[in-house]
Structure formats: C-alpha cells, structure tokens
Amino acid sequence: MTATEPAASDAIGTDPSPRPAPGATPPRTPLAARAAAEFVGTAALVAIVVGSGIQAAELTDDVALRLLANSTATVFGLGVLIALLGPVSGAHFNPAVTLAEWWTARRGGAGVNARELAVYVPSQTVGAIAGTVLADAMFGEPLVKWSTHDRSAGNLLLGEVVATAGLILLIFGLSRTDRLRFAPVAVASYIGAAYWFTSSTSFANPAVTIGRAFTDTFAGIAPTSVPAFVGMQIIGAAVGLALVAVIFTRGRTDAA
C-alpha cells in the first residue's frame, strides 16, 4: 500500500526535482521478486482480514467487538507487511495504489511502467483470492463459498470513495514530503481508523474486494456488490490524486 523511503531532499516548494512516487523500488530488484512480494503481501493481508473476522465471529455475537478485533488485527498485520515488503516491491498490495502510481509516472514522476502495472495487478488480485482461501481453510470453512453479504447501498459506495481518496492522499502526500519512513505506521493507522469512520468499513482496495467475495463469512462481500465497490475505489483514487496535486503543489517561493 505504500513504498520504500526516498532519500532526503530539500523542503517541499524549494526543490524542483521530482521525488519518487510510492512504489519507486530499487532498479536491481527483479520484477519476478516484486510480483512475488505483491502476491504474498496481498494474500497475507486478506488472510488477516478474513481470518480475524472468522475468529471474532466465533468468539462473540457483539458486532462492535467483532469489528474491533477485525480492525485491530488488520492494523498490526498491515504495518508489519509494509515494513517487511516495502523495500522489495513498494508494498502496494492494492491495484488502486498501483494505478495511481502508474498515472503519476505517465505525468513525469517516478513509478511503475505499463509492464510493471500488468504484472502487479494480477499478482495482487490472485494473491487476494489465495489469502481468502487460506483463511477459510485455517478455520475449517468451505474453501470457496460466495458471500451473501450485500453491500450495494449508496452510502456504502460513498464510504469507499472517501476511504480510497484518503488512502491515496496519505501515501502520495507522504511521498511528496519525504516522509515515507512513517508509512508502515501511518497507512496501517489510517486503515484502522477508516474501518470505523467510513460506512463501508474501508475496503479501499479492488483486489481485496474481489478476494473477499469468495468467503461467506464476517468480512465477505456479495459478488453482485463487487463491481460498484471497485468502481467507487477507482473514482476515489482519482479524487485522491487530485487532492495531492492541489495540496502538495511544488511552486516557486513568492517574491518578497
């Protein structure tokens, strides 16, 4: 969901050189290794989300406690995964982040190219499905059972726009201000908070959304709800990039 830390540079607004976008990984890292990191990272993330949801549902009937357990596990797990795999692939684990970085690279910034985009997104999507199957297997659930948890209400879709826009703003804002060293804590904290302040519980990730359709458990989403969720996440990513462009503009210092 984020990237490795760039080298220190001048304060924003005084240095005209482009800074690495999230995911701007060392050039010596083979693409196959980065794809494997994205696959494993996304699979682990979804296994954490789905597995902790199943565990919570088995331990309590209180929906608030279930969500608390689910969000807490996700915060800690995501932070660890970003810290571990960020130096390899940028730790996107999210097609919305990868697409946003590709768009930034097309506009002259650093980031993934079209070939890398074509490798990252399938790796993330297949990894998400694998993570769901793994979580179901660990808890003795059917390996694949389509979710019946409908999430098609308009307010939930708005929640996905907000959640994804905030995530993109955070990641690319950290990149623009040379603070990506805080990404493991900042991104994990944001997702944990967004579980609670968004109506959708902050999927904010097309791959994770697809993966969670494969389980009829606490964290599932009905397949019929997936296309709208993914569409809103893409819109949210565009909104997030627009906010980055407005807020973190690099211009000349006004003359006295």
Side-chain angles (χ1 to χ4, degrees):
M1 286 188 176
T2 180
T4 55
E5 178 183 353
S9 60
D10 295 337
I12 187 168
T14 62
D15 179 14
S17 61
R19 293 172 173 78
T25 54
R28 293 191 183 90
T29 305
L31 183 55
R34 284 180 274 157
E38 287 297 302
F39 172 86
V40 170
T42 311
L45 173 60
V46 177
I48 291 166
V49 172
V50 174
S52 62
I54 296 172
Q55 184 79 284
E58 291 181 351
L59 294 175
T60 179
D61 292 327
D62 189 318
V63 177
L65 286 178
R66 290 179 180 181
L67 188 61
L68 179 61
N70 198 205
S71 59
T72 301
T74 301
V75 167
F76 287 114
L78 179 57
V80 168
L81 291 171
I82 293 172
L84 175 64
L85 298 175
V88 179
S89 68
H92 294 188
F93 314 146
N94 187 337
V97 173
T98 304
L99 283 166
E101 187 189 308
W102 169 77
W103 177 257
T104 300
R106 288 182 72 250
R107 307 280 293 181
V112 298
N113 57 33
R115 177 169 174 261
E116 292 165 328
L117 174 71
V119 172
Y120 268 48
V121 172
S123 298
Q124 294 158 353
T125 304
V126 175
I129 296 170
T132 298
V133 173
L134 176 60
D136 282 339
M138 287 192 293
F139 286 93
E141 298 287 337
L143 298 186
V144 174
K145 184 177 181 181
W146 299 116
S147 176
T148 56
H149 192 164
D150 179 74
R151 300 179 189 262
S152 60
N155 63 302
L156 302 184
L157 300 180
L158 176 59
E160 279 303 288
V161 174
V162 172
T164 311
L167 177 64
I168 297 299
L169 175 62
L170 171 62
I171 293 172
F172 284 78
L174 289 174
S175 177
R176 289 285 184 94
T177 55
D178 299 317
R179 290 177 172 84
L180 277 172
R181 62 188 177 277
F182 299 120
V185 171
V187 174
S189 297
Y190 172 78
I191 292 297
Y195 258 87
W196 291 91
F197 79 77
T198 64
S199 56
S200 63
T201 66
S202 182
F203 285 47
N205 185 327
V208 168
T209 303
I210 293 169
R212 288 169 65 168
F214 285 73
T215 181
D216 193 22
T217 58
F218 179 75
I221 177 172
T224 54
S225 300
V226 168
F229 254 56
V230 171
M232 293 304 103
Q233 290 157 0
I234 299 303
I235 291 173
V239 171
L241 284 178
L243 290 173
V244 170
V246 170
I247 296 171
F248 298 100
T249 301
R250 301 188 195 99
R252 293 191 300 270
T253 303
D254 293 337

